[in-house]
Amino acid sequence: MTQLYDLHCHSTASDGALSPTELVKRAAENAITTLALTDHDTTTGLAEAKICADELGIHFINGIELSAQWEKVGVHIVGLNIDPQHEMLQKVMAELHIMRTERAEKIALKLEKKGIFGALAAVQKAATNETITRVHFANFLVSQAHVSTISEAFDRYLGNGKSAYVSTTWTPLESAVQAIRDAGGVPVVAHPLRYKLTATRMRKMLGTFKNAGGLAIEVVTGRYNPDEMRVLANYANQFELAGSVGSDFHSPDNPWIELGRVAPLPASVKPVWELWQ
Ligand code: AMP
Ligand code: MN
Ligand code: MN
Ligand code: MN
């Protein structure tokens, strides 16, 4: 049987639009054979997804996407094949939860200064007190007709440097990598090209990641073109990191990114799943 891996996606446990069950059903419809759910800073969706995956015959990998800090840059570290109960990982998640709650309060205050009220209660409700993300604020701004699209919400209010932007210092990169390793998982640099690093800074970041115990980078995502994949395959091989494949699917409303719609991993790269198979 042809294997199709998607090792990066989101459910309603963080900023995804589908419940874990709906997400796994969509994965089955899209012929995915191995799926990892990687919600931002939380593992609460994993148990439900695993039940559905078992029913539908999909191999399910426990995952997470941790918000981490490298120098002045926020980088995302996916953890694959983790033990969600592990104490160190739980501790990092609890810290991130507090950071996100405090940031949400500050974002809501900035929106109030712009005459927009009720954001905090709305996002807390939508996130059911789990991971509150900027996407929850964006959904609120759309629902109240302050903007007409999610991307307008980021452009006008929530994006880096915009009027309701609040900068956060996330868990240090090294701690995020260590927590994933402690939990028996494989740390993966998510969407490495999204940080807009120069080649020199990219090498510095990957060196820090590797020294901290990092094991893989995403070489294939929902968005990369063949040239970008070649660049990433080269980084993987240069730093002796395995390569991962993940769509970063969030919502059926985004026509550009679909669960399981990913290119094959370049043959020169060691597949990340070989690390746990
Ligand atoms: P946070 O981790 O709370 O800062 O939220 C970041 C999330 O917002 C990312 O994981 C994306 O899902 C989403 N996001 C970031 N920028 C944009 C954008 N310009 N348009 C839509 N979604 C975005
Ligand atoms: Mn997201
Ligand atoms: Mn991310
Ligand atoms: Mn993601």
Side-chain angles (χ1 to χ4, degrees):
M1 193 167 98
T2 318
Q3 299 295 308
L4 180 58
Y5 292 82
D6 193 334
L7 304 176
H8 185 161
C9 63
H10 297 271
S11 76
T12 46
S14 64
D15 57 355
L18 303 182
S19 71
T21 298
E22 290 165 336
L23 188 78
V24 174
K25 284 185 176 160
R26 196 178 185 90
E29 284 161 14
N30 292 357
I32 289 169
T33 53
T34 300
L35 180 75
L37 174 59
T38 56
D39 275 307
H40 297 285
D41 307 326
T42 183
T43 56
T44 54
L46 298 177
E48 182 188 319
K50 166 78 175 148
I51 291 169
C52 186
D54 284 349
E55 278 169 13
L56 297 177
I58 291 181
H59 186 55
F60 184 73
I61 302 292
N62 283 324
I64 192 164
E65 183 176 15
L66 289 177
S67 310
Q69 195 72 34
W70 175 72
E71 298 191 347
K72 294 242 175 346
V73 188
V75 295
H76 286 176
I77 305 298
V78 161
L80 296 175
N81 206 34
I82 50 164
D83 167 10
Q85 312 301 337
H86 195 279
E87 199 184 326
M88 274 305 294
L89 188 60
Q90 289 284 340
K91 189 166 158 273
V92 167
M93 284 191 284
E95 284 167 9
L96 285 164
H97 192 109
I98 292 169
M99 291 172 192
R100 283 186 174 278
T101 304
E102 289 174 358
R103 181 181 69 154
E105 289 163 1
K106 289 179 186 158
I107 292 174
L109 282 177
K110 286 198 162 183
L111 288 173
E112 283 182 12
K113 293 212 173 91
K114 297 258 140 198
I116 297 172
F117 296 89
L120 189 61
V123 297
Q124 280 169 340
K125 185 154 179 273
T128 56
N129 284 316
E130 259 306 318
T131 303
I132 302 173
T133 72
R134 283 182 289 164
V135 174
H136 294 102
F137 281 97
N139 289 337
F140 165 78
L141 291 168
V142 172
S143 74
Q144 299 296 301
H146 295 292
V147 291
S148 44
T149 63
I150 300 288
S151 79
E152 192 189 340
F154 276 89
D155 289 346
R156 283 183 53 188
Y157 295 103
L158 302 166
N160 206 331
K162 299 301 158 70
S163 60
Y165 180 75
V166 174
S167 82
T168 311
T169 305
W170 303 105
T171 294
L173 174 67
E174 291 89 339
S175 313
V177 169
Q178 191 57 51
I180 291 165
R181 286 297 295 268
D182 286 349
V186 175
V188 185
V189 177
H191 40 66
L193 298 180
R194 209 182 296 167
Y195 315 118
K196 309 259 182 273
L197 303 176
T198 61
T200 306
R201 301 247 307 141
M202 177 76 101
R203 282 194 290 270
K204 194 173 173 206
M205 189 271 283
L206 291 176
T208 303
F209 173 73
K210 172 90 181 173
N211 284 335
L215 296 172
I217 66 172
E218 285 182 352
V219 171
V220 178
T221 86
R223 272 277 174 76
Y224 294 148
N225 63 41
D227 287 339
E228 292 173 321
M229 286 190 332
R230 264 192 293 279
V231 168
L232 291 165
N234 283 337
Y235 281 125
N237 290 328
Q238 243 179 56
F239 285 85
E240 295 181 326
L241 296 164
S244 189
V245 174
S247 64
D248 203 4
F249 175 83
H250 281 73
S251 163
D253 292 343
N254 179 351
W256 309 108
I257 294 185
E258 178 54 83
L259 201 58
R261 201 166 68 204
V262 282
L265 193 65
S268 63
V269 177
K270 179 188 171 76
V272 69
W273 46 90
E274 287 184 1
L275 299 178
W276 65 73
Q277 270 172 0

